[in-house]
Amino acid sequence: MHESFTFGLLVLCIGGAGLVAVQSHALTRWVRIPAPALFLALASAVAQIPGVPEPSHQTVERVVTLALVVILFDGGMHIGAGRMRTAAPAVLTLGVVGTFATVAGAALLVHVLLGVSWYLSVLVATAISPTDPAVVFSVLGQREVEGPSGTVLEGESGANDPVGIALMAALISAGSLSGGALAGVAGTFLLQMGVGAAVGLVGARLLLLAMRRVPLPAEGLHPVRVLVSVTLLFGIATVLHGSGFLAVFVAGIALGDERAPYKREIERFHSALSSLAEVVAFAMLGFTVDLHELSRTDVWVPGVVIGLALAVVVRPVVGLPLLLPVSLTGRERSFVLFAGLKGAVPLLLGTLLLPLPQGPRAYGVVVIVVLVSVVGQGSLVPTVARLLRIEMRAVEQEPYALGVRLRDAPQGAHRLTVQAGSKAAGSTLAGLPGLAEGTWVSAIVRDGQLVPVRANAELRVGDEVLLLIDPEQHDADVLCLFAPISTHR
């Protein structure tokens, strides 16, 4: 009887925590603090209660790793190959070059303020370099950044997370900053990036083939197949000494714009799972935080200084030159530079410092830096976006659906969103070239409502349009009307 009561109590606690996690994002509308940060603080407080069992660091690392796999794959799918191509220069420069430059600048700060060795300084700097756009979008609530700045933020994080993780792993394996060790770091890093990208691309093609050709007995199994395949790709890349995180991110990008059976259901499943994974990751990481360590003056003071310096000095100095050649307005560049918030990856990398000499202090500094970024910067993101007049659109839930099921993939059917700066934005159906012949507009959805399809119906940014294009007509000629016109500003 006692064992049944204990098990029931455990299930009750897990179910209650899960329900709170699912409902927690509504709280951010009021407090403007990301739900993951709240769970980090809550788990940290619970860990201080005597008698509460704490998970081992290895368990935390494994759970958070799986959560990041889900988050990165969903982030890649949300971006897609089309959006990534338009923002690729900014993503690659910020995600790769910017990460290394941030590590250099942050390492100098850490060395001066903490008075630790250059090796430990570089490790701490590597931990706090990656960004997390999920935290930004959690702060914004049901509003989504439009235009290229949102894509840059998402793509940058997806790129710099694997870069930061691979660099940290290579540095820890090297054990020092000697010339030979640095050569080994470079070789290990390039191997991880190359193998991870290759596994992601090849794996995505094979997974897409299975999604299209291999049927399953139930509709609900299709999202599950994608999920287990993604974890398989992570495992393959890791076993081959590559970056499993880069593999799943690349796979998500490659699959994002592809058509496949039950694609809509797959996207919704992974989006929901990603939101929950972000909360789980922060909650698990909260158990690694020692509040007594954070209260030390030689931890929280330099942590606050480093966090502020990263936001107002290092990131603008590093990022602005990298963004100047990119097709962004001045306001968009400023928003991207300000909204580079820290998240779960810096905390995960910080836990790797704990076994090292002065590791607990170094990890405490990492935690403070993340809190300064999430709570300090994060609470200001909506205000900064409003002041910079960054275009956003409301993302309201749409619980009702209208559609049909087809046995085969429809030919020439496209579901498009009118993008800012496209030819379709502000144009009527009759006045939009390319829609006169061979193309049928079946539906227009605006703010969750159907808009009558008439010749004088004006298309607005954010409208979702269902098109049927004659198979004899080139789809690209019509699709380009809804994409932003590429200009160098």
Side-chain angles (χ1 to χ4, degrees):
M1 187 66 180
H2 177 70
E3 292 183 0
S4 298
F5 175 80
T6 303
F7 178 72
L9 182 61
L10 177 62
V11 173
L12 173 64
C13 293
I14 294 175
L19 182 60
V20 172
V22 172
Q23 297 289 339
S24 62
H25 290 279
L27 185 60
T28 60
R29 302 179 191 176
W30 302 95
V31 298
R32 292 299 183 186
I33 296 176
L38 297 179
F39 273 82
L40 176 71
L42 179 61
S44 302
V46 170
Q48 310 306 311
I49 300 176
V52 174
E54 297 182 17
S56 65
H57 290 313
Q58 185 182 58
T59 300
V60 171
E61 181 182 339
R62 289 175 176 175
V63 172
V64 175
T65 295
L66 290 176
L68 289 175
V69 167
V70 173
I71 293 168
L72 285 173
F73 177 73
D74 176 69
M77 276 207 307
H78 183 70
I79 296 173
R83 290 178 64 199
M84 178 57 78
R85 278 193 292 269
T86 62
V91 168
L92 292 177
T93 53
L94 277 181
V96 181
V97 179
T99 299
F100 282 95
T102 301
V103 169
L108 178 60
L109 284 172
V110 173
H111 182 70
V112 172
L113 293 174
L114 297 186
V116 296
S117 66
W118 277 109
Y119 177 61
L120 184 58
S121 299
V122 172
L123 290 178
V124 174
T126 303
I128 60 180
S129 294
T131 58
D132 186 351
V135 175
V136 178
F137 303 135
S138 179
V139 171
L140 295 175
Q142 291 182 307
R143 297 183 66 82
E144 186 175 277
V145 180
E146 288 198 344
S149 55
T151 305
V152 171
L153 281 173
E154 293 179 80
E156 176 198 2
S157 174
N160 67 24
D161 283 355
V163 168
I165 294 170
L167 180 59
M168 176 66 86
L171 286 168
I172 290 179
S173 298
S176 69
L177 294 179
S178 64
L182 289 178
V185 168
T188 302
F189 176 80
L190 292 175
L191 175 64
Q192 291 205 26
M193 293 295 100
V195 172
V199 170
L201 289 173
V202 174
R205 302 313 301 176
L206 295 177
L207 177 55
L208 181 62
L209 186 63
M211 292 164 64
R212 289 174 173 173
R213 303 286 180 85
V214 182
L216 293 173
E219 173 183 326
L221 291 176
H222 289 265
V224 177
R225 175 171 60 183
V226 174
L227 175 62
V228 296
S229 299
V230 169
T231 58
L232 179 65
L233 292 181
F234 176 85
I236 292 174
T238 303
V239 169
L240 296 177
H241 304 289
S243 172
F245 295 103
L246 182 61
V248 298
F249 181 62
V250 169
I253 292 175
L255 291 173
D257 295 337
E258 297 290 346
R259 302 174 64 186
Y262 302 102
K263 180 69 179 301
R264 191 73 170 170
E265 289 76 8
I266 291 170
E267 290 174 341
R268 288 174 176 169
F269 173 82
H270 283 273
S271 178
L273 196 61
S274 175
S275 298
L276 186 59
E278 184 84 10
V279 172
V280 169
F282 271 82
M284 292 297 293
L285 288 166
F287 284 101
T288 67
V289 176
D290 186 346
L291 296 182
H292 175 71
E293 188 74 30
L294 297 187
S295 65
R296 292 173 45 183
T297 306
D298 62 344
V299 171
W300 73 265
V301 171
V304 170
V305 174
I306 293 171
L308 293 176
L310 278 177
V312 302
V313 179
V314 176
R315 183 167 174 84
V317 169
V318 167
L320 184 58
L322 298 176
L323 288 178
L324 285 178
V326 181
S327 298
L328 294 173
T329 65
R331 297 194 309 272
E332 289 170 337
R333 291 191 188 96
S334 299
F335 181 71
V336 169
L337 293 175
F338 181 82
L341 304 184
K342 310 305 176 183
V345 172
L347 294 175
L348 175 63
L349 296 180
T351 60
L352 302 179
L353 305 175
L354 289 171
L356 302 176
Q358 301 192 55
R361 182 191 178 204
Y363 179 55
V365 171
V366 172
V367 174
I368 294 297
V369 169
V370 172
L371 289 177
V372 168
S373 178
V374 173
V375 180
Q377 275 182 274
S379 61
L380 295 175
V381 164
T383 302
V384 171
R386 185 171 59 254
L387 292 175
L388 293 175
R389 301 192 300 278
I390 298 298
E391 294 184 0
M392 297 186 183
R393 67 183 181 93
V395 184
E396 299 291 344
Q397 294 185 3
E398 299 173 349
Y400 299 97
L402 177 64
V404 295
R405 291 284 190 183
L406 302 176
R407 187 178 301 276
D408 299 314
Q411 298 298 317
H414 299 274
R415 184 172 179 268
L416 305 172
T417 300
V418 179
Q419 303 289 334
S422 64
K423 292 183 178 179
S427 175
T428 62
L429 295 181
L432 193 60
L435 295 184
E437 297 181 359
T439 302
W440 295 267
V441 179
S442 299
I444 302 174
V445 180
R446 177 180 301 152
D447 298 329
Q449 302 291 329
L450 287 172
V451 176
V453 180
R454 302 190 181 100
N456 62 349
E458 181 179 335
L459 297 176
R460 301 177 185 174
V461 174
D463 286 356
E464 293 184 89
V465 183
L466 179 62
L467 295 178
L468 295 178
I469 303 176
D470 191 324
E472 297 182 359
Q473 187 175 1
H474 292 293
D475 290 9
D477 296 338
V478 178
L479 301 184
C480 68
L481 301 175
F482 293 83
I485 301 174
S486 178
T487 58
H488 187 86
R489 302 173 208 167

